[in-house]
Amino acid sequence: MPDIVLPGRVPHGLVLADVTGDGNIDILTALPDGMGVLPGNGNLTFGVPIISTTAPYKFKMVDLNGDGLLDLGMIMQQPSFGTEMIGTALGNGDGTFQAVRTQTGSSVFENLRISDDLEAGDLNGDGTPDLLVLNYASNDVSVFFCNPDGSLRPHERYGIGNTPQFGTMADFDGDGRLDVAAAIGLPPSGLHNAVVLLQNVGGGPAGTPTPTATPASTPAGSPTPTPTASATSTPKVTPTSTPRATPTPRPRATPRPRPTPFPRP
């Protein structure tokens, strides 16, 4: 097999997949001028790179919109410090990709690589792959739930430990939901000398529901109003005046008869 020479270009990352639709394995790599696809000829030789979209820092291949074509999930190139951007680019099936659609990721005020790895998998059970990004500088992970059109919703962040750098997703507890495992650093060395598991407890926002036909009388998704009991005004009880007891006259004591004096002679 002849060597593949890319004069003046340093490739970053490598994935093997058929993205041209001819049944041959192609080579995908990030090049300085964009995402490069070296189309396979099926005989251990490859054509010149097909360049499209924007060059990422790291990328994963996954069908994000369910059309049967491989798309890109990407950690974009980062400025010296500030905010990380995470992007997706839909595949056209001919070795090219559409323009990147980005979503804001983690943010720190340090001159460090913020996000260093990403994985793809359905984390909320809606049938659409989502993106998990490991944030080295902010000591957490970002979960980007994916919309059916391949765009990303705002991320949700979960603390996972010091400087997570490598990670994967699998159902570690057999409950049918993808969990997260990541290599983190423990003090005092700070080296990646521990693995931590983050259990998926079933949550994340679900995808936008598809409307279903319902009887016209009941709007879809609207709760049937329950009549609320109106407070009946209770008339005030007017106190009945109780007549005062008529005092019984106390009988006067009968004066004792005074003795009649005898007449004087």
Side-chain angles (χ1 to χ4, degrees), residues 78-210:
Q78 176 193 322
S80 58
F81 68 90
T83 301
E84 188 71 86
M85 302 300 292
I86 309 300
T88 60
L90 299 181
N92 296 318
D94 58 359
T96 63
F97 297 90
Q98 299 177 21
V100 177
R101 292 178 290 180
T102 59
Q103 185 64 263
T104 303
S106 181
S107 179
V108 298
F109 290 100
E110 297 182 50
N111 191 15
L112 295 172
R113 161 55 58 184
I114 298 176
S115 302
D116 209 38
D117 196 16
L118 80 162
E119 292 291 329
D122 184 6
L123 287 166
N124 61 350
D126 64 354
T128 301
D130 309 303
L131 295 183
L132 171 80
V133 179
L134 289 96
N135 300 319
Y136 180 89
S138 55
N139 303 323
D140 56 11
V141 297
S142 292
V143 174
F144 292 87
F145 293 108
C146 190
N147 295 313
D149 63 355
S151 61
L152 300 175
R153 303 179 209 169
H155 68 151
E156 299 179 9
R157 294 170 65 178
Y158 300 89
I160 200 169
N162 189 46
T163 60
Q165 190 168 17
F166 307 106
T168 189
M169 290 190 290
D171 181 8
F172 293 110
D173 54 3
D175 63 354
R177 297 188 288 259
L178 289 176
D179 309 303
V180 176
I184 65 169
L186 293 178
S189 65
L191 301 177
H192 289 87
N193 51 6
V195 174
V196 64
L197 298 179
L198 197 62
Q199 184 184 22
N200 187 340
V201 293
T208 304
T210 303

Side-chain angles (χ1 to χ4, degrees), residues 12 44 52-53 96 103 149 154 173 187 217 225:
H12 189 76
L44 297 180
S52 64
T53 198
T96 63
Q103 185 64 263
D149 63 355
D173 54 3
S217 59

